Amino acid sequence: MADMHRWGPITTIGVLTAAMASGINQPAGAADPAHSVTVSKDESIVLVGGLTEGETVQVVLRRNGIQIGSATGVAPAGGLFELNHKIELVDPPVVDPATGGEDEVNNTGTAVCWTDFTPEILGGDELTVTTGTTVDELVVSDIDITQEPTKVDANTGVVRGRVAGPVPPISQLSVSTQGRTASDERFDGLAPGLVDGVAGTLKYTSGGRFKATFDGLSRIQMGAFLDSEDVRVIHETASGLAGSHTTEAVYGADARFTEDLCPPVARRAVTGASLGAINRSNVDRPLKIWGVSADATSVRVGVEDRNGRRRTWPATVTGTGIAQTWSVTYPAGSLRRFADGRLTISATHIGDAGALAGGPRRIHKDTVAPALPKIRPGGSRRFVGRELVRLRSWGAQEIWYTLNGSRPARNRGAEYTGQFRLARTAVLRAIAFDRAGNASRVSGARFLRVRAR
């Protein structure tokens, strides 16, 4: 990570090393170089670090076994090969004769471009980097931050997300946040732990979802946490292997293009939507979609459901050059026309380079509430000692319950994570939520602990 150049705000960077698993043989007695290979899907950038100056680097991109892109170049001084990325630093640095100090703006070099055209890199694409006798094979993957810093209660905040593909060992995943309030109070935290800063905990749930929890925050810390402008999720394997494995998601700013890249560039058009999920409570609201573009004369935005039903609307484009933004609003009631399931939002930019379409954004639509939670044993029950309790709801993602008879809600009460034992009298009430946020009706049962006769 230390020898990588930053190239401005990034929406998602994904890279997965498979050299060890695929059984690639290294020359007998040769040391395995720790190459760092990083991919920016949004800008089709590939960075290869840990090289020797003058090494020939060959990059091939395949999708479903078919080659869709390639490039060849030479590793420069410093050992960082940059494909489709403007080189910003020179060695030695430029010296200002007037002050004798290093110039803040160094000379720039020319990026190595993809051959013929710049391919659009998507999740699941296979990347092969060959340097001499060493081969790094990577499968481009995704980490999504599905919920940025959110307050759970007065002292607890969470960040939620998803890892596409096999869930990595939890020791290899970390979630970090950095924020600063208007009064200059800072928050620096990392889950599962950090020497300097606020330590958080990290756990996985089904479907590769993760939740980073920061407990015991003060009012000032909570304010800085909620104002976090830099939220990162990093999956990194141990170093010293044949290839480093680093997957990173970075959120905190629009995915703009601040570099001169090799045209044509496939841009990730959609950066935000007013609804994270569509459920029975918001299906009649308008849906606003927005994003960024560069040198586009127009932008058209389409929403398509799982049955292929699609509606396309023109967006309002603001600004010029790389400072363009756009937005479009689907009117209230229009979302009812789409089938429940995954909705795919895509945008096409029309410009001098033709029509460019970036990776889509997906929103889940579900207007059916999950089933009433079943409590086992149910009804009104007397027990001696401890009673084993189980909850279940068809179609639910989460079940929350209380034991004092109060009405449960999401983040109010306790989240059901598996069967548990009661050791006291309780009035249990439970409610279920699906992934779109629909709530079930509340079920209940009474448990009365009695003494053994």
Side-chain angles (χ1 to χ4, degrees), residues 15 44 96 121 128 147 149 171 176 224 232 244 250 266 348 370 391 429:
V15 54
S44 299
D96 186 345
I121 300 179
T128 302
Q147 182 188 80
S171 61
S176 66
R232 296 167 181 263
S244 66
V250 181
T348 301
L391 305 179
R429 302 184 73 192

Side-chain angles (χ1 to χ4, degrees), residues 90-134:
V90 295
D91 189 16
V94 176
V95 177
D96 186 345
T99 63
E102 295 182 3
D103 194 345
E104 293 183 358
V105 182
N106 288 327
N107 293 336
T108 57
T110 302
V112 177
C113 294
W114 292 87
T115 303
D116 297 328
F117 69 94
T118 299
E120 176 188 5
I121 300 179
L122 302 176
D125 288 351
E126 301 166 357
L127 189 76
T128 302
V129 179
T130 304
T131 53
T133 58
T134 301

Side-chain angles (χ1 to χ4, degrees), residues 160 203-206 211 388-392 397-401 413-421 430-431:
R160 297 176 187 264
K203 74 172 185 177
Y204 292 120
T205 58
S206 60
K211 180 172 73 172
L388 184 65
V389 179
R390 299 182 300 276
L391 305 179
R392 188 178 67 176
Q397 182 186 50
E398 301 174 16
I399 300 177
W400 290 78
Y401 66 94
E415 183 177 4
Y416 180 72
T417 58
Q419 61 184 19
F420 59 94
R421 292 185 181 275
I431 188 171

Side-chain angles (χ1 to χ4, degrees), residues 375 377-383 422 425-428 444-448:
I375 302 173
S380 182
R381 182 174 177 84
R382 296 171 178 261
F383 68 95
L422 280 178
T425 296
V427 178
L428 190 154
R446 293 178 176 271
F447 295 88
L448 179 61

